[in-house]
Amino acid sequence: MSHTLWRHARLATFTGTEPWGWVERGALVTEGDRIVWAGPEAQLPRDAHITAENDLQGALVTPGLVDCHTHLVYGGDRAAEFEQRLQGASYEQIARAGGGIRSTVAATRRATDEELFNAAAARARVLMAEGVTTLEIKSGYGLSEGDEARCLAVARRLGRALPLTVRTTSLAAHALPPEYAGRPDAHSAYIADACSWLPAQHAAGLVDAVDAFCDTIGFTPAQTERIFQAAAGLGLPVKLHAEQLSNQEGAALAARYGALSCDHLEHLSASGIAAMKAAGTVAVLLPGAYYFLRDTTLPPVQSLRDAGVPMAIATDHNPGSSPAFSLLLMLNMACTLFRLTPEEAWRGVTVHAARALGLNDRGTLAAGQRADFVVWDAGHPREMAYRFGLNPCRRRIFGGLEDTST
Ligand code: NIG
Ligand code: FE
């Protein structure tokens, strides 16, 4: 097998004890889709059998970015809702009046598979152009058995059509679909149906994890737990949109099910933090939604830090609460709005984001990891947390192969 050497690089490996996992004059050796060696170039093994060589001329190399929370597959947009909110309507008021998520559900159901695919592929390419090599995509705008499966299948197809890795999450428990409204016990009836769809989605290979929206305009903890039980019965890991608009103690519930992550967390309690720490659950912070909804309650970053809960950062790309196309902008917002350090924010879009997806084979530059990495027109990764609106991504390597399409 041929070994490719990527030499004369400045590496932010996010491994070891050095800040940033920094290697000033570093090199990587890749074989196929794996990194087989990473470290100081002076220590490159003499028997490395290099068959191809790239001189990076001192450029910065980081792991590929992982966007671990998106709702990328949907029809339509919510620009008019944005105007309503600017005139004083709240996100909750619009949702309760049948707008919000439900308006995107209507647009998504109207769209053909091809339209959904083309729109989502265009969005994914924008994220890839900034160095995103792994992308999580949730369903949740279909809300019927057929439409949920359709959206998950579109997400899977994106993973086959583009060089990036796509992980899919079933989010049928996102909102009550309009056809259930007015039925007695509507939410409970819908949850029973959503649970019954999971085995077929799983058997068709459409799902990597299961998520729910546990909040006053979403589902109660008891309803959320029924979704988690259905997931656990199939051996699927869970995640949760938790404590975004209010504290429902959803994080503690998710932690009891060994959740990979709890996401949003503006209203997270001390007991929620302790439960997440004990379960090894990642806190996924979403500064785009915080910013776009003009939230004023900050997630408890210092308490998460003190407790040693790993923090990830994602775009939460969706048409309602975070129409964000830039994970690099989220790096900056995580620092300015949430007061993460640039290094914490970077770990949040690499190693911790990978953990939020249950992936241990990426997010750092080390032997055995997938050869997903980015070459930047920058001297140090802190520059990408500092500047905003600039894309200094020069080269993108997906599983050892360079992408030149974007
Ligand atoms: O992550 N909170 C629930 N779900 C999405 C927003 C969905 C929407 O408004 O369309 C979120 O913020
Ligand atoms: Fe979300």
Side-chain angles (χ1 to χ4, degrees):
M1 193 61 159
S2 62
H3 284 186
T4 304
L5 173 65
W6 306 78
R7 57 178 293 273
H8 196 184
R10 312 177 83 208
L11 304 180
T13 66
F14 301 111
T15 60
T17 50
E18 279 292 305
W20 305 87
W22 191 253
V23 181
E24 178 59 30
R25 174 128 193 175
L28 300 171
V29 179
T30 58
E31 180 183 12
D33 67 359
R34 295 286 132 183
I35 296 171
V36 292
W37 189 86
E41 192 167 333
Q43 292 170 23
L44 185 70
R46 296 214 175 278
D47 59 353
H49 302 303
I50 303 302
T51 48
E53 189 172 311
N54 287 279
D55 183 347
L56 297 178
Q57 300 180 326
L60 170 68
V61 175
T62 70
L65 306 188
V66 178
D67 194 349
C68 68
H69 180 143
T70 84
H71 308 246
L72 211 73
V73 176
Y74 58 85
D77 68 71
R78 306 247 287 278
E81 176 183 314
F82 177 52
E83 287 181 319
Q84 275 178 284
R85 286 201 292 110
L86 289 174
Q87 282 155 19
S90 77
Y91 183 72
E92 285 98 324
Q93 281 164 349
I94 292 166
R96 288 188 200 287
I101 294 174
R102 281 218 233 149
S103 69
T104 301
V105 171
T108 303
R109 288 177 176 180
R110 277 197 301 271
T112 64
D113 291 5
E114 217 49 31
E115 286 166 344
L116 290 175
F117 175 81
N118 289 335
R123 294 172 195 134
R125 284 197 187 92
V126 177
L127 295 169
M128 277 169 53
E130 282 192 346
V132 171
T133 52
T134 298
L135 177 64
E136 187 253 17
I137 302 177
K138 301 173 196 297
S139 66
Y141 293 120
L143 306 190
S144 71
E145 182 167 20
D147 287 305
E148 282 292 294
R150 221 156 68 80
C151 292
L152 290 167
V154 164
R156 276 282 191 255
R157 185 177 153 202
L158 274 180
R160 293 192 298 272
L162 298 175
L164 83 181
T165 303
V166 170
R167 301 291 283 183
T168 58
T169 301
S170 175
L171 177 59
H174 196 195
L176 186 71
E179 55 276 17
Y180 288 72
R183 278 169 56 167
D185 243 352
H187 284 79
S188 189
Y190 175 62
I191 288 293
D193 287 350
C195 288
S196 77
W197 305 337
L198 263 184
Q201 289 176 357
H202 180 52
L206 293 176
V207 208
D208 297 312
V210 177
D211 196 347
F213 181 28
C214 182
D215 221 309
T216 49
I217 56 167
F219 295 90
T220 64
Q223 290 155 358
T224 300
E225 183 157 16
R226 285 164 63 194
I227 290 281
F228 285 174
Q229 282 167 349
L234 297 167
L236 285 168
V238 301
K239 309 168 79 70
L240 190 65
H241 282 71
E243 344 297 15
Q244 180 187 9
L245 307 169
S246 62
N247 176 27
Q248 304 284 319
E249 292 295 335
L253 166 66
R256 281 207 296 285
Y257 283 81
L260 291 174
S261 72
C262 291
D263 303 41
H264 287 286
L265 302 174
E266 278 80 355
H267 296 265
L268 179 63
S269 68
S271 54
I273 293 173
M276 287 174 66
K277 172 63 184 168
T281 300
V282 176
V284 178
L285 307 179
L286 304 168
Y290 172 88
Y291 161 79
F292 195 63
L293 296 182
R294 304 186 71 234
D295 207 336
T296 50
T297 306
L298 284 162
V301 167
Q302 187 58 43
S303 303
L304 287 164
R305 190 183 278 136
D306 290 345
V309 174
M311 293 181 278
I313 305 295
T315 60
D316 191 16
H317 178 99
N318 75 74
S321 71
S322 188
F325 283 86
S326 173
L327 192 53
L328 292 183
L329 178 58
M330 299 304 120
L331 268 183
N332 174 269
M333 283 187 175
C335 299
T336 52
L337 299 175
F338 293 169
R339 315 308 286 169
L340 266 69
T341 68
E343 184 178 352
E344 283 174 330
W346 260 95
R347 288 180 187 266
V349 295
T350 53
V351 57
H352 292 158
R355 300 303 171 267
L357 298 178
L359 298 172
N360 292 316
D361 70 342
R362 64 197 70 199
T364 68
L365 298 175
Q369 292 272 288
R370 217 183 121 75
D372 286 346
F373 54 90
V374 183
V375 183
W376 301 92
D377 282 322
H380 193 282
R382 65 166 66 90
E383 293 173 33
M384 277 76 91
Y386 152 70
R387 295 191 184 96
F388 55 99
L390 182 72
N391 179 12
C393 174
R394 189 197 301 170
R395 297 173 70 180
R396 295 165 294 280
I397 317 300
F398 295 78
L401 294 176
E402 182 149 8
D403 174 55
T404 49
S405 67
T406 42

